[in-house]
Amino acid sequence: MSTSTVKTIEFSTTETAFAAILLARSAKGICTILLGDSQAELVENLQQRLPKAKLVKNDQALAASLKTVTEFLDKPLTPLDFPLDIQGSDFQKSVWAVLQTIPVGQTLSYSDVAERLHKPKAVRAVANACAANPLALVIPCHRILRADGGISGYRWGVERKRALLAKEQQACQ
């Protein structure tokens, strides 16, 4: 991509009982799913994440993908299987790939992920990659716990993390 090319990103937002949700798509696929307290906050967050992109609100084009995400929140076994455009460093992508292998209703610790990457000392880097995750739910960083099994931070709120894990546990019973 030349430096003069501006990347167009389509986005849409919705409100659910669980959270406000923003979903954004590049020409390659879904590149961002954010959770938050208000749609305006999420649009601002998207602008900060992609300052050079041309953001275009397109509710109609993204309605089906957004519906899949909201269905996942109601029924966590709903597959989130749309084309993705995952942007991050090679290390972040390797962490996120491990996270995507964690089945609904199961969890790993940050150190488990570091071990799977054959980098047992990279626990803090794994935590940082989770915090930088641009695709809530699709890259399930909510399924990562502390080594003692406790719930640690979640960029979209610890209460949301607890609620997601509880819903996923119920769905698997």
Side-chain angles (χ1 to χ4, degrees):
M1 184 168 84
S2 74
T3 53
S4 62
T5 304
V6 175
K7 192 173 187 179
T8 297
I9 302 291
E10 296 178 313
F11 74 94
S12 183
T13 58
T14 192
E15 292 281 346
T16 69
F18 183 75
I21 302 169
L22 180 144
L23 181 137
R25 178 177 72 186
S26 71
K28 288 172 71 177
I30 303 299
C31 59
T32 310
I33 299 174
L34 304 175
L35 307 175
D37 295 327
S38 76
Q39 293 177 44
E41 160 202 332
L42 297 178
V43 171
E44 189 175 307
N45 186 313
L46 183 65
Q47 289 169 329
Q48 290 169 354
R49 291 172 155 277
L50 305 170
K52 294 180 177 153
K54 177 184 174 192
L55 302 179
V56 178
K57 188 160 176 62
N58 193 342
D59 295 331
Q60 190 172 352
L62 298 172
S65 296
L66 202 51
K67 185 176 191 287
T68 300
V69 171
T70 59
E71 285 174 357
F72 177 85
L73 289 171
D74 289 336
K75 299 179 189 106
L77 296 174
T78 301
L80 295 170
D81 57 359
F82 25 65
L84 299 174
D85 180 5
I86 300 174
Q87 299 296 313
S89 70
D90 288 344
F91 180 77
Q92 287 172 328
K93 288 179 182 179
S94 68
V95 169
W96 299 337
V98 170
L99 300 186
Q100 289 180 285
T101 68
I102 306 169
V104 171
Q106 295 184 27
T107 59
L108 291 176
S109 69
Y110 295 101
S111 52
D112 291 334
V113 175
E115 291 284 342
R116 287 189 183 190
L117 294 171
H118 307 290
K119 296 181 181 195
K121 295 186 172 151
V123 175
R124 187 173 300 257
V126 167
N128 288 338
C130 289
N133 174 14
L135 285 157
L137 309 173
V138 172
I139 298 173
C141 57
H142 62 277
R143 296 184 192 143
I144 303 299
L145 303 175
R146 292 191 317 236
D148 65 6
I151 289 184
S152 55
Y154 182 54
R155 74 175 300 186
W156 294 292
V158 172
E159 287 311 310
R160 283 194 184 105
K161 183 173 185 168
R162 269 194 187 87
L164 280 169
L165 291 171
K167 273 185 180 250
E168 288 188 357
Q169 287 289 328
Q170 278 184 313
C172 292
Q173 291 177 352

